[in-house]
Amino acid sequence: MELFFLLLLLIIMATALGSGYPVAFALPGAAIITITLAALAGWAFAGSPDAYFAQGGPGQWLSAGVTNLRGIYWEVERDTLIAIPLFIFMGIMLQRSKIAEDLLMTMAQLFGPVPGGLGISVVFVGALLAATTGIVGATVVAMGLISLPAMLRNNYSPSLATGTIAASGTLGQIIPPSIVLIILADQLAAAVDQAGTTRKALYKASTGELTMPSPFGVTSTSAGEMFLGALIPGLLLVALYMIYILVTALLFPKKAPAVPNETGLDKVFWQRLALVLVPPLALIFLVLGTILAGIATVNQAGAIGAAGALIMSGYRLKEGQKGAYLPAILALVSIAVIAVVVSNFNTNIKAISTANDQIGIIIALIASAGLIGALVWSAVRAYRTDNTLSDVMIETAKATSLVFIILLGAAMLTAAFRAFGGEELVQHFLEGVPGGFWAKFIVVMAIMFVLGFFLDFIEIAVVVVPIMAPILLADPSANVTAVWLGVMIGLNIQTSFLTPPFGFALFYLRGVAPAVVKTLDMYKGVIGFICLQLSALFIVAQFPQLVNYLPNRVSLLGETAPPPRNPRLQYCVENYIHGRFQEPTGRIVSAQDNLKALDVSYLPANLQKALEESYAATGEARDKLIAAKAVEAREGVAADAFRPLHVLVRGYERDARALDADIERLRVRASRMRSEDQAEARAQLEQRIADEEAERDALLAQIPEDWVPRRDAFKEIVKEQAQLRNEFRRSSSTAYTSVKNLQGVLAGNEDFNAFVPILDGLMASLQGVDSKEGQALIKAAEDAVSRVDGTSKVKSALSKARRGMRRNPPRMDDVETNVAEARRLLAVQGEWRAQVTPEFVAALDEYELAMRDTVGLTQQRRLSREQALFVASCQSGHRDISLNF
């Protein structure tokens, strides 16, 4: 019966959407109706409202709905969606203030003389508008009204012209900042949690281990990372569009002829170009640049974009009038003053300590007031000019409300889908697809592509992604990142704007296109661009570095970059170290030889031993890592032979676990049937249980007999490599820590000489003082000693003296004995410290520097730029970790 109600859920949803019922109400309505019918049927025919639910019942579904509501609206941690109204406001404001129109007209003049130049200008402006507005409807309509007549007037092919405009208008869905990417990031955050739980359960079931190593975890994402990941694929799509138009124009000149610039590229034109192009580019830099540089979060960048759009509208709406640019000039001057103040003054009000700080705060307050005044001034202009501000606010509220209602409705629909076992059904179907992860991925992408013919991008993102994404992310065979999967989905559902019969970009363009342009021409025109989008999808699938590299780079170069010892970075960090070991420089050996040539017999025995241990551990670390890489190569060869058997057996075990879960559900249902009139149904369930148990046993019986020995043999190779890497890490730590400790001891020579007189006069100072004052004097001496490394024994003797002083009455004999012992130890230290030569200190520093980017790398606080770029590149690919499961 669960399958019946699952099918009913899908039929009701499809019928409501197909009949034109608003999607914001079709999604939750289908869930509520189906859940209610299933609960009533269960109560009427099985005596329990939960009888026809695969998971829980109506109560659990309602709880899931409340949880989703809280997650979307009230969880402080999930504030990503706040950026949506900000970016919508920015886009609509720029479109209403006719900045998009200025861009199109100016760029058309610039690119016109090039073959296909008008089309290239449309793509270029589409990319700029995508990075500033991201509103498909507004972009397509604006370009359709302005560019399409000009393209047709200059004998452009109607199909190429309409296809270019429609495709360029959809760039806002993949080029950040994009509402689609924000929604995908929000949906993928929950998907990552589910996938992580699934992968941990898989690891436990496969290996018997209770905890899974953190490097095997699912990599999460955020809206900022999605923006970073989508930037290069978005630019790739722009390049493909431009190349396509240029090649078409060269091969078929009549389809896209060059258009001579009649006015000429004079000084006035270049001034106009700068005035039109620089402000949007500056806004793009402020919005995306602050995110890329880690200065602002996505929400803060959205606020910057909304404020920038308001300032730009303030002068554009008053263009040609006196004082049109005054609000913008005031804003720019205020921002410049704030930047200077922040760079040269302490602007923390709580930390004001000097008159200079007060001056900085006052100037910053004045500049902030100027910026606020510029924003208010621009807002008043936008409000008074054709009621633009009111219209933009109303449109923003409508679009934002629609997005949030759809999100909530989709959460209810997804909860109902899971309640009837739909998620498990999809999972079993995908896991049964031969070909591993990539076969499942292709199936999911194909489903989304087909759904794009009928559904909008929001419906696909909020309905399909929560169901499909956890399954793909949990698969360890590809171990893809959430940001890569999100960008791939974004590229895919971008086609939904172009695919008939419900391609929204086609509808927008049809509404403004002249009658001479046939609908069939528009359909023909977008085919080539759909193929380009699918080509971009294929390229990004083959080269995940296009998505992953930039987020990794920004993360590892940022102020909050993880340290090199982070477990997720270990593999790539060790690859870097191995590469340095392969360089024939011999820097560490040379530094060792220089240090060994010096006389160190005056050093204490423990420090001499530490040096010798460092020499030995450095060589051992190098040997262990080289050996580990050799075993890794051997493991790769063994993995190729072992993988087919591993896939086969794990498939049997996965199907057996699915049967076990189904058997458990059937047993629960059978246990609820206690009345005599349900005896026949109970017997049927028990027979099904017996049949599935037999099927499970038959599956497990198909496991080859050589499975265990071959698995154990492969595990031995994996274990050998892991052991060598652990030994390398221990040796590295010993080698580098010993040297750093010795450097720390020597670095305290100046402080050491400073507290020698304190200790010499300590006993005299203790004569005639009471117990409390004496303890304070000894404690002060302890604190002075503790500032120098290597003086722990001296401090210990002083601690014993302080304990003697604590007695009542003080035991002055014990105090004097321990103070004398402290002075003796101090004298011994002073003797060898005085023999330390500058040559030894320099040689030791040289040795530490030579070790720093190899055996000492994991002991550093953060990676250098060179190391961070290497690790970012190394982590940008996808590694198959399935053989560890």
Side-chain angles (χ1 to χ4, degrees):
M1 290 298 292
E2 295 93 336
L3 294 179
F4 169 78
F5 286 107
L6 178 63
L7 182 62
L8 182 62
L9 172 70
L10 298 177
I11 290 174
I12 294 175
M13 181 189 69
T15 303
L17 292 175
S19 63
Y21 200 72
V23 65
F25 303 106
L27 301 183
I32 293 170
I33 292 172
T34 311
I35 289 288
T36 303
L37 291 176
L40 291 175
W43 177 73
F45 300 110
S48 170
D50 300 344
Y52 298 140
F53 288 83
Q55 298 179 9
Q60 184 174 335
W61 174 81
L62 183 61
S63 174
V66 172
T67 302
N68 281 316
L69 178 66
R70 289 174 177 170
I72 291 173
Y73 290 102
W74 287 309
E75 275 191 19
V76 178
E77 294 82 1
R78 289 186 65 187
D79 62 349
T80 304
L81 299 179
I82 296 174
I84 290 178
L86 295 172
F87 285 124
I88 290 176
F89 176 89
M90 179 178 73
I92 297 176
M93 179 59 78
L94 290 176
Q95 189 268 331
R96 290 294 182 91
S97 58
K98 298 184 179 179
I99 291 174
E101 180 179 336
D102 294 343
L103 274 171
L104 277 167
M105 295 178 65
T106 307
M107 299 313 295
Q109 286 181 274
L110 180 63
F111 288 110
V114 179
L118 279 180
I120 292 174
S121 69
V122 169
V123 174
F124 183 83
V125 173
L128 286 180
L129 294 179
T132 52
T133 67
I135 309 298
V136 172
T139 304
V140 172
V141 169
M143 292 194 296
L145 287 171
I146 302 164
S147 294
L148 185 56
M151 296 174 83
L152 295 176
R153 198 166 50 244
N154 288 281
N155 299 318
Y156 263 66
S157 165
S159 60
L160 180 62
T162 53
T164 300
I165 293 172
S168 300
T170 66
L171 289 171
Q173 302 309 295
I174 195 63
I175 294 181
S178 163
I179 297 171
V180 176
L181 297 177
I182 296 174
I183 294 174
L184 284 172
D186 179 72
Q187 297 297 312
L188 286 170
V192 166
D193 293 338
Q194 295 178 43
T197 302
T198 302
R199 189 176 286 188
K200 288 176 183 177
L202 177 62
Y203 187 81
K204 180 180 178 182
S206 301
T207 65
E209 301 288 339
L210 295 179
T211 58
M212 182 180 70
S214 59
F216 295 162
V218 181
T219 306
S220 187
T221 187
S222 64
E225 288 182 335
M226 288 292 292
F227 283 4
L228 291 168
L231 184 60
I232 295 177
L235 296 178
L236 170 67
L237 202 55
V238 172
L240 289 175
Y241 286 177
M242 289 183 172
I243 293 171
Y244 172 72
I245 294 170
L246 182 61
V247 171
T248 301
L250 293 175
L251 295 179
F252 308 100
K254 292 184 178 180
K255 286 190 174 184
V259 180
N261 190 337
E262 298 177 357
T263 59
L265 304 180
D266 54 9
K267 182 179 178 181
V268 175
F269 170 80
W270 290 112
Q271 290 176 348
R272 174 67 178 171
L273 177 64
L275 189 60
V276 168
L277 193 58
V278 170
L281 288 177
L283 187 60
I284 293 170
F285 174 78
L286 285 174
V287 173
L288 293 183
T290 52
I291 297 174
L292 296 177
I295 298 172
T297 65
V298 173
N299 295 338
Q300 293 165 346
I304 292 171
L310 192 59
I311 294 292
M312 290 169 66
S313 69
Y315 70 76
R316 178 60 183 83
L317 292 171
K318 293 289 185 179
E319 188 175 24
Q321 300 181 23
K322 185 178 179 180
Y325 293 96
L326 288 180
I329 294 172
L330 177 60
L332 291 174
V333 171
S334 300
I335 292 172
V337 172
I338 291 172
V340 172
V341 170
V342 170
S343 301
N344 296 280
F345 295 89
N346 179 11
T347 54
N348 186 347
I349 296 178
K350 295 182 179 179
I352 295 177
S353 58
T354 64
N356 195 45
D357 294 340
Q358 293 179 350
I359 293 173
I361 293 292
I362 292 171
I363 296 174
L365 288 173
I366 294 172
S368 299
L371 180 58
I372 295 172
L375 287 170
V376 173
W377 193 350
S378 299
V380 170
R381 282 186 170 184
Y383 179 76
R384 290 180 175 177
T385 307
D386 298 329
N387 213 25
T388 302
L389 182 61
S390 297
D391 292 344
V392 170
M393 294 292 286
I394 291 171
E395 291 299 321
T396 300
K398 287 180 179 178
T400 304
S401 300
L402 178 65
V403 170
F404 277 85
I405 292 173
I406 291 176
L407 282 172
L408 184 58
M412 297 172 68
L413 181 74
T414 303
F417 189 81
R418 292 195 177 108
F420 294 122
E423 187 175 33
E424 290 188 7
L425 191 65
V426 172
Q427 183 176 358
H428 294 161
F429 165 72
L430 290 178
E431 288 177 346
V433 174
F437 170 84
W438 290 107
K440 291 189 284 188
F441 177 76
I442 291 172
V443 169
V444 171
M445 289 291 108
I447 291 172
M448 289 186 177
F449 180 72
V450 173
L451 288 176
F453 283 75
F454 311 101
L455 298 179
D456 190 8
F457 72 96
I458 295 182
E459 291 95 272
I460 299 174
V462 300
V463 174
V464 182
V465 171
I467 297 169
M468 303 292 193
I471 299 170
L472 296 176
L473 290 172
D475 194 323
S477 62
N479 193 30
V480 299
T481 61
V483 63
W484 177 84
L485 182 60
V487 171
M488 293 295 289
I489 293 172
L491 283 169
N492 193 343
I493 62 179
Q494 184 186 356
T495 62
S496 67
F497 284 93
L498 301 179
T499 49
F502 300 122
F504 290 94
L506 302 177
F507 282 131
Y508 297 140
L509 188 56
R510 177 69 276 173
V512 297
V516 69
V517 178
K518 306 299 181 185
T519 303
L520 185 60
D521 291 332
M522 298 172 60
Y523 286 169
K524 288 179 180 178
V526 297
I527 291 175
F529 290 95
I530 293 173
C531 292
L532 291 176
Q533 290 175 338
L534 296 178
S535 299
L537 197 66
F538 177 77
I539 293 171
V540 176
Q542 290 295 312
F543 302 99
Q545 295 84 355
L546 294 173
V547 173
N548 294 327
Y549 176 73
L550 203 53
N552 289 339
R553 177 190 174 109
V554 171
S555 172
L556 293 174
L557 290 176
E559 291 297 324
T560 58
R565 69 174 62 90
N566 187 297
R568 286 187 174 274
L569 305 182
Q570 284 292 295
Y571 178 79
C572 290
V573 166
E574 288 169 7
N575 281 353
Y576 175 84
I577 296 172
H578 181 261
R580 295 304 304 270
F581 279 150
Q582 302 305 306
E583 297 175 2
T585 57
R587 187 180 177 190
I588 293 181
V589 175
S590 175
Q592 271 189 11
D593 292 341
N594 292 338
L595 199 55
K596 289 178 180 178
L598 299 176
D599 179 22
V600 295
S601 58
Y602 55 84
L603 291 177
N606 64 317
L607 296 182
Q608 293 186 45
K609 182 180 178 182
L611 264 182
E612 293 296 331
E613 288 178 348
S614 176
Y615 299 151
T618 299
E620 183 180 358
R622 182 179 184 278
D623 294 341
K624 294 296 183 183
L625 184 56
I626 292 175
K629 294 298 290 184
V631 175
E632 182 183 3
R634 186 154 52 90
E635 180 188 331
V637 175
D640 292 338
F642 177 62
R643 186 171 285 106
L645 178 62
H646 180 272
V647 172
L648 178 68
V649 173
R650 293 309 187 202
Y652 288 149
E653 292 176 343
R654 180 188 63 241
D655 293 342
R657 286 195 297 271
L659 286 170
D660 281 333
D662 198 34
I663 290 169
E664 183 61 28
R665 284 195 297 269
L666 292 175
R667 283 175 176 161
V668 171
R669 287 179 56 186
S671 66
R672 294 171 179 167
M673 298 179 177
R674 299 184 179 91
S675 61
E676 294 183 2
D677 57 343
Q678 295 176 325
E680 184 178 351
R682 179 184 176 90
Q684 292 177 353
L685 285 179
E686 290 174 346
Q687 183 59 45
R688 280 186 61 187
I689 292 171
D691 292 341
E692 293 196 3
E693 287 177 339
E695 184 180 354
R696 176 201 59 197
D697 296 339
L699 274 174
L700 296 176
Q702 295 181 54
I703 296 177
E705 294 181 359
D706 62 343
W707 158 246
V708 173
R710 289 184 62 182
R711 179 198 63 190
D712 292 345
F714 182 77
K715 279 187 174 180
E716 282 299 316
I717 300 177
V718 175
K719 183 179 178 181
E720 181 183 357
Q721 185 192 166
Q723 183 175 349
L724 286 169
R725 288 185 180 274
N726 287 332
E727 290 174 357
F728 159 75
R729 291 161 192 163
R730 284 196 297 269
S731 299
S732 296
S733 177
T734 300
Y736 189 72
T737 304
S738 299
V739 173
K740 287 298 290 183
N741 289 343
L742 179 54
Q743 282 184 317
V745 171
L746 298 182
N749 276 356
E750 186 175 341
D751 288 336
F752 178 86
N753 294 327
F755 69 68
V756 168
I758 298 175
L759 211 56
D760 286 343
L762 179 61
M763 202 60 215
S765 302
L766 294 174
Q767 300 300 323
V769 300
D770 59 23
S771 173
K772 189 173 182 180
E773 185 178 353
Q775 290 180 58
L777 290 171
I778 298 175
K779 184 66 170 63
E782 279 186 69
D783 293 340
V785 170
S786 64
R787 289 199 297 268
V788 179
D789 290 341
T791 57
S792 58
K793 291 183 178 180
V794 178
K795 183 180 178 182
S796 176
L798 289 174
S799 296
K800 291 178 181 179
R802 184 158 52 89
R803 285 196 294 271
M805 198 70 190
R806 193 183 301 156
R807 302 284 183 156
N808 191 14
R811 295 183 180 179
M812 296 305 296
D813 291 342
D814 290 348
V815 172
E816 185 174 1
T817 299
N818 285 302
V819 170
E821 176 63 13
R823 293 179 62 193
R824 185 189 70 79
L825 294 171
L826 202 66
V828 171
Q829 285 227 6
E831 184 178 346
W832 70 259
R833 284 178 182 272
Q835 299 181 57
V836 175
T837 63
E839 291 80 12
F840 175 76
V841 174
L844 187 66
D845 290 345
E846 180 188 356
Y847 183 40
E848 184 273 332
L849 186 62
M851 300 168 68
R852 192 178 297 172
D853 62 350
T854 51
V855 294
L857 180 53
T858 56
Q859 307 301 313
Q860 306 305 315
R861 188 181 66 85
R862 59 181 299 156
L863 295 167
S864 68
R865 181 177 179 83
E866 175 195 349
Q867 295 158 358
L869 295 181
F870 178 91
V871 174
S873 177
C874 172
Q875 287 199 306
S876 296
H878 294 147
R879 290 177 57 216
D880 181 356
I881 59 172
S882 60
L883 295 183
N884 296 285
F885 286 76

